[in-house]
Amino acid sequence: MKSIFSKVVVVFLLATTVSSCKKDFLNEVPLDFYNPENAFSSISGFEAALTDLYVKEREIYYSGQDVSYSLLFGTDVFLNARGNDGSQDKISILSNSLGASTNISEWYWNKNYKIIADANLIISNSASSTLPEADKLRLSSEAKFFRAKAYRDLVYLYGGVPLILEVVTGPKADFVRSTKVEILNQMAADFKDAADNLAPISQVQDGRVSNIVASHYLAETYISLGRPGDAIAEASKVITAPNVGLMTARFGKRIGETSKDVFWDLFQRGNQNRSNGNKEALWVCQFQEDVQGGGLLTNSRQYNVLERMHVPAVWSMTDPAGKPGFLGRRSDANVGGQGVSFLQPTQFASKDMWPANYIGDMRCNDNNFIKDAYYDNPASAFFGKSVTLNKPGNYNSWRFYPWFIKATTPGDHPVGLIDPSNPLLLSGNSGSTYHDQYYLRLAETHLLRAEAYLANSQPDKAKEDIDVVRLRANAAPVSLAEVTLDYILDERARELNLEEQRHVTLRRVGKYGERVVKYNALTGPSYNPKFELFPIPQKEIEANIDAVLIQNPGY
């Protein structure tokens, strides 16, 4: 099977124990359930524990719960199509979603600290194991990558947080916050360890992190630490790595569809990994249908419900006469599966960031950005006519908006989701996106190095990296005068929408408030400066009875 998740996934519920007994013969080693004594007695136990870190990382962003997509809502790029619908998990009004007791604030805190705890367990037990030194170094370096990645989410969302580098072996209620700089320095140390010791990308399984993935995040951390020269050096290691490069020619399983393009290919089912010939993919979140741990089922909606979140509910629309305009949910680019109209592009993302009439950028052409739908019900008087040109008085705008094809698998949903009696998708089961998701593509590294060059007072070099990404999309080169941090953020929105966790990016560079006010007509009016950071969960503050865990200002 294809990826790291092909292994049997062992869910570790490990708790170290403290004993006052000194006699070894009284130290029981259970054989019928997992604990640190037997789980870490062999290389296979460590590998299973590392695999579980990948599972937990996937859970944060793609669990299938609404909250796991909340870092996309309420930004300059996406808003909640249903408006202020009362959901705390889909950011509409900031005061509703970002409270000290809301699900969003607790989700990213709890999920990332669980990864940190498990990474610390691997690091500690590998050091004390009898494994060869080379294995110890590799295992601990991979665990340190995940510890640093977890702190990356925490520090950009919450600011300075408790820094935990050891296994917590008993009740502890005296956590205090480290400074943001202290967290960033620890991230830099962990990412550097991973960059120095992990295998090259050509030697790792699909879905597994490599040395250059760590170098990318190390470069990002160096920018935050005010070390742009070091960031340039690390990003350059990624960009110049052997057998890595932007995909510029058609590739993959649907190459025979001659009307399509290479950007479309990047998001087709089965095209995301290096084993599929994709040299641009650096780190890919793995899904696999109908295997234990794979996250997806061919007869049910489970994980990775980006289709449900982003694609509009075209299938539910009536025509201008109030009659059914569509037959139902279809696996095509006209309907897009079973979207339910939540994650809508802002005016900026749907129009303003693109060239006039959407001409001159592959990423917004009719292959990759769907801007209209056509009534497909032969019984409708409007059969074959444009939805956007025939808006009736009862037209419900949230049921259709322009959307990005990368959220679905047009014409390629699993057979198990198709009603055998007609060509429609089964209503209760569809909604997942049946392809792997990019954590990181080389295009992002080019834009990150552009950011570092700009911070290093080298806008001409920043322009070169931006142009590499734009020219692949057949877009015009950027002028030197246009090269600003805001332009780089615009380019990230054009290239990486639905891929990057946009809240993390904007908060990392200190642009969240400015851009959400400027570009998000729904969320922007609810902004005030306290929302630059998420609140520390109130449960954590109240449980920390032996020290003060200081709340972020304004909450």
Side-chain angles (χ1 to χ4, degrees):
M1 294 186 181
K2 65 169 184 158
S3 74
I4 188 170
F5 292 115
S6 300
K7 299 178 180 179
V8 175
V9 176
V10 180
V11 179
F12 281 83
L13 300 175
L14 298 177
T16 57
T17 58
V18 179
S19 174
S20 60
C21 184
K22 301 295 185 181
K23 295 188 180 295
D24 291 341
F25 71 86
L26 292 179
N27 292 337
E28 297 184 29
V29 179
L31 300 177
D32 58 347
F33 65 90
Y34 282 108
N35 81 345
E37 285 75 19
N38 64 17
F40 294 128
S41 62
S42 66
I43 190 71
S44 61
F46 282 102
E47 291 289 358
L50 284 171
T51 298
D52 196 54
L53 290 182
Y54 287 88
V55 173
K56 286 181 169 65
E57 184 74 18
R58 182 179 68 181
E59 174 85 7
I60 294 176
Y61 305 130
Y62 301 108
S63 73
Q65 299 181 51
D66 289 357
V67 66
S68 65
Y69 296 89
S70 55
L71 296 184
L72 303 178
F73 285 96
T75 68
D76 53 345
V77 180
F78 292 107
L79 52 78
N80 184 353
R82 308 288 187 97
N84 185 23
D85 62 358
S87 169
Q88 289 189 346
D89 294 344
K90 298 186 286 292
I91 297 175
S92 301
I93 306 302
L94 288 165
S95 57
N96 290 352
S97 300
L98 296 187
S101 298
T102 59
N103 197 20
I104 292 174
S105 300
E106 293 176 356
W107 178 267
Y108 295 101
W109 181 279
N110 293 339
K111 295 292 184 182
N112 281 294
Y113 269 115
K114 180 57 178 169
I115 288 176
I116 290 166
D118 289 355
N120 285 340
L121 201 60
I122 295 169
I123 294 164
S124 174
N125 280 277
S126 64
S128 61
S129 74
T130 59
L131 294 175
E133 291 302 316
D135 286 335
K136 290 183 181 183
L137 185 61
R138 176 181 61 81
L139 293 166
S140 64
S141 296
E142 194 164 356
K144 285 179 181 179
F145 171 88
F146 279 98
R147 183 169 69 182
K149 174 62 172 58
Y151 274 119
R152 171 186 179 264
D153 279 10
L154 289 166
V155 77
Y156 295 134
L157 294 178
Y158 300 90
V161 294
L163 182 60
I164 306 171
L165 302 177
E166 304 293 337
V167 175
V168 177
T169 59
K172 181 176 172 61
D174 60 350
F175 295 102
V176 294
R177 298 179 68 169
S178 297
T179 66
K180 180 178 180 179
V181 170
E182 287 171 335
I183 300 295
L184 289 170
N185 279 325
Q186 183 60 49
M187 288 164 51
D190 281 351
F191 281 137
K192 186 176 189 308
D193 199 332
D196 289 344
N197 296 304
L198 291 180
I201 194 168
S202 60
Q203 297 178 19
V204 300
Q205 284 178 291
D206 289 337
R208 198 152 195 168
V209 294
S210 66
N211 59 348
I212 62 173
V213 171
S215 285
H216 173 98
Y217 289 109
L218 179 57
E220 182 188 81
T221 308
Y222 281 152
I223 293 174
S224 295
L225 285 168
R227 297 167 59 179
D230 291 330
I232 292 166
E234 288 300 321
S236 296
K237 292 178 184 177
V238 183
I239 292 168
T240 61
N243 203 31
V244 168
L246 292 189
M247 300 301 291
T248 57
R250 296 292 312 278
F251 74 100
K253 60 182 288 188
R254 303 181 74 173
I255 194 171
E257 299 182 39
T258 56
S259 63
K260 308 303 182 184
D261 53 62
V262 65
F263 197 74
W264 186 85
D265 288 336
L266 284 169
F267 301 96
Q268 298 315 298
R269 191 175 170 197
N271 283 6
Q272 282 69 53
N273 292 292
R274 290 179 64 81
S275 63
N276 309 130
N278 186 339
K279 295 182 179 181
E280 182 169 340
L282 300 180
W283 185 24
V284 180
C285 182
Q286 300 292 300
F287 292 95
Q288 193 163 337
E289 301 92 344
D290 301 330
V291 298
Q292 184 178 5
L296 293 176
L297 299 174
T298 57
N299 61 358
S300 178
R301 181 177 70 239
Q302 192 176 21
Y303 274 49
N304 198 21
V305 295
L306 196 58
E307 176 186 278
R308 177 179 180 271
M309 280 287 156
H310 173 58
V311 178
V314 181
W315 53 270
S316 69
M317 292 181 63
T318 56
D319 66 21
K323 304 294 184 181
F326 289 84
L327 290 175
R329 305 158 183 85
R330 284 185 181 271
S331 176
D332 61 17
N334 187 52
V335 174
Q338 183 171 305
V340 293
S341 298
F342 285 130
L343 197 58
Q344 177 179 356
T346 60
Q347 169 75 12
F348 163 70
S350 63
K351 186 174 181 181
D352 297 344
M353 72 181 188
W354 302 113
N357 299 315
Y358 303 100
I359 297 171
D361 193 319
M362 182 188 298
R363 298 166 297 190
C364 67
N365 67 21
D366 289 344
N367 290 329
N368 299 308
F369 189 40
I370 309 302
K371 297 172 283 292
D372 205 349
Y374 299 88
Y375 295 110
D376 68 4
N377 185 356
S380 169
F382 291 82
F383 177 71
K385 293 185 178 180
S386 163
V387 166
T388 61
L389 294 179
N390 291 276
K391 293 182 180 180
N394 66 347
Y395 178 79
N396 219 335
S397 60
W398 63 261
R399 295 179 187 272
F400 182 80
Y401 47 74
W403 57 280
F404 298 100
I405 200 72
K406 64 173 73 171
T408 187
T409 51
D412 199 18
H413 283 65
V415 173
L417 295 177
I418 308 296
D419 187 332
S421 65
N422 62 50
L424 303 181
L425 294 173
L426 294 168
S427 61
N429 297 337
S430 52
S432 292
T433 302
Y434 282 88
H435 61 64
D436 296 334
Q437 296 291 333
Y438 296 109
Y439 285 128
L440 185 61
R441 287 193 288 122
L442 186 62
E444 182 171 352
T445 311
H446 277 287
L447 296 177
L448 185 71
R449 191 171 69 173
E451 187 182 326
Y453 274 129
L454 185 62
N456 206 43
S457 301
Q458 294 176 275
D460 55 330
K461 300 295 288 184
K463 169 183 160 54
E464 291 179 11
D465 270 317
I466 296 169
D467 283 347
V468 168
V469 176
R470 289 185 60 77
L471 292 176
R472 191 268 294 278
N474 291 334
V478 62
S479 70
L480 188 58
E482 290 179 292
V483 177
T484 64
L485 179 55
D486 277 304
Y487 190 91
I488 292 171
L489 291 172
D490 292 353
E491 194 63 26
R492 290 180 71 104
R494 286 184 279 264
E495 180 72 22
L496 303 172
N497 61 76
L498 297 176
E499 299 174 63
E500 68 170 343
Q501 304 299 318
R502 188 68 170 182
H503 271 273
V504 173
T505 298
L506 294 180
R507 294 166 188 278
R508 174 177 67 80
V509 301
K511 285 279 190 176
Y512 176 70
E514 176 186 334
R515 289 181 69 98
V516 77
V517 168
K518 183 175 181 180
Y519 293 122
N520 191 316
L522 175 63
T523 304
S526 70
Y527 172 80
N528 73 53
K530 78 176 186 178
F531 294 119
E532 285 297 321
L533 293 174
F534 282 20
I536 306 299
Q538 187 63 27
K539 290 179 180 178
E540 301 297 320
I541 292 173
E542 292 175 357
N544 199 62
I545 58 176
D546 295 330
V548 177
L549 190 59
I550 299 172
Q551 181 59 277
N552 280 324
Y555 290 102

